[in-house]
Amino acid sequence: MSIQIPGFRLGIYAFKDAEVIDFAAPYGVFSVARRFDPELDVFLVAENLRPIQTQAGLMVIPNYGFSDRPTMNAFLIPGGFGTRQELHNKNLHQFIRQLPESCLLTSVCTGSWIYGKMGLLDGLPATNRKEPDRLEASNAGKVPIERLAEIAPACRISKARVVDAGRIVTAGGIASGMEMGFHLLRRAGYEEEFISEVARTMEYHQAYKLYRQDLEVANS
């Protein structure tokens, strides 16, 4: 039985052209879960406190900047077109490397590219989006999970929806942020009854039952 972590705090990275569902889905799971345990916390972290334009023009205001060094139990990087720039964001890489070992490093969709670029996926399984958009399906593009294999050749590519490799947890697919949110509740030590009740309240219970088996857990 897992030991519940009181006041579990999830920090989600916000950046230009982040995919909205990638960060909104896990944020939403924690938002609903807070109805049952108000000690849970979720917030946005960015390089600074300026407003950020994510994909489709949605503007968000982060709660913390890198210099604030907020206490977190998990840090999540969403995907989106902007991850192509974040691959080379040295400030982000430095921020991640300075996080304590006790902080989970998680991602949704192409967010796992960042950990791959940093060499953090070497020798570990990880996943990414498997269904390409029109450009990615053309001769000029590449399916994101195949791009992950190029970025991190020492990573073992998995097609599971969620891959838990210990400290690093990755989810593949734009809407997989829902499953990432539920799994982080699991990693926080909440019982299945609690998580199922959150899914029921969200009217996501049937999808939750379907997807909760699409999980790979590996020894780190």
Side-chain angles (χ1 to χ4, degrees):
M1 180 181 295
S2 301
I3 298 176
Q4 187 172 321
I5 301 173
F8 190 94
R9 289 166 56 85
L10 168 62
I12 299 177
Y13 181 48
F15 56 92
K16 187 178 185 303
D17 290 328
E19 180 59 65
V20 175
I21 299 177
D22 282 15
F23 65 83
Y27 203 112
V29 169
F30 268 62
S31 175
V32 174
R34 279 172 50 87
R35 301 183 188 184
F36 304 97
D37 185 355
E39 288 192 0
L40 281 167
D41 199 8
V42 58
F43 47 85
L44 298 179
V45 183
E47 284 198 63
N48 52 58
L49 295 179
R50 296 173 185 167
I52 297 168
Q53 181 174 305
T54 62
Q55 287 197 206
L58 178 68
M59 301 295 293
V60 299
I61 300 176
N63 303 92
Y64 298 98
F66 286 170
S67 62
D68 296 316
R69 297 177 180 262
T71 300
M72 297 180 287
N73 298 97
F75 179 65
L76 186 147
I77 303 177
F81 187 79
T83 51
R84 290 152 181 80
Q85 285 73 47
E86 297 303 316
L87 279 171
H88 311 288
N89 187 341
K90 294 181 180 179
N91 292 332
L92 170 62
H93 299 179
Q94 181 180 22
F95 177 76
I96 293 171
R97 293 192 189 281
Q98 290 177 344
L99 291 172
E101 286 293 323
S102 58
C103 180
L104 299 177
L105 301 179
T106 73
S107 65
V108 173
C109 201
T110 56
S112 63
W113 287 352
I114 310 301
Y115 298 134
K117 180 71 172 180
M118 295 174 64
L120 298 178
L121 299 182
D122 291 357
L124 298 177
T127 191
N128 208 299
R129 180 159 55 85
K130 299 165 283 295
E131 295 293 339
D133 61 23
R134 288 184 177 182
L135 177 60
E136 293 163 346
S138 71
N139 292 332
K142 189 175 292 292
V143 180
I145 198 168
E146 295 177 356
R147 176 86 187 277
L148 175 62
E150 288 186 350
I151 293 171
C155 168
R156 179 170 68 78
I157 303 300
S158 170
K159 291 190 175 181
R161 192 165 178 85
V162 176
V163 177
D164 187 327
R167 186 189 182 198
I168 298 183
V169 186
T170 57
I174 294 174
S176 66
M178 295 289 288
E179 281 63 55
M180 175 60 78
F182 293 128
H183 188 66
L184 286 176
L185 291 177
R186 193 174 294 118
R187 287 296 303 266
Y190 289 91
E191 299 291 344
E192 186 62 33
E193 182 179 359
F194 177 94
I195 303 171
S196 294
E197 182 64 9
V198 174
R200 184 201 63 78
T201 302
M202 300 178 76
E203 297 192 5
Y204 195 77
H205 192 59
Q206 294 302 316
Y208 173 65
K209 288 196 295 184
L210 174 67
Y211 281 126
R212 69 183 177 186
Q213 304 300 327
D214 195 355
L215 166 70
E216 177 178 341
V217 178
N219 294 325
S220 58

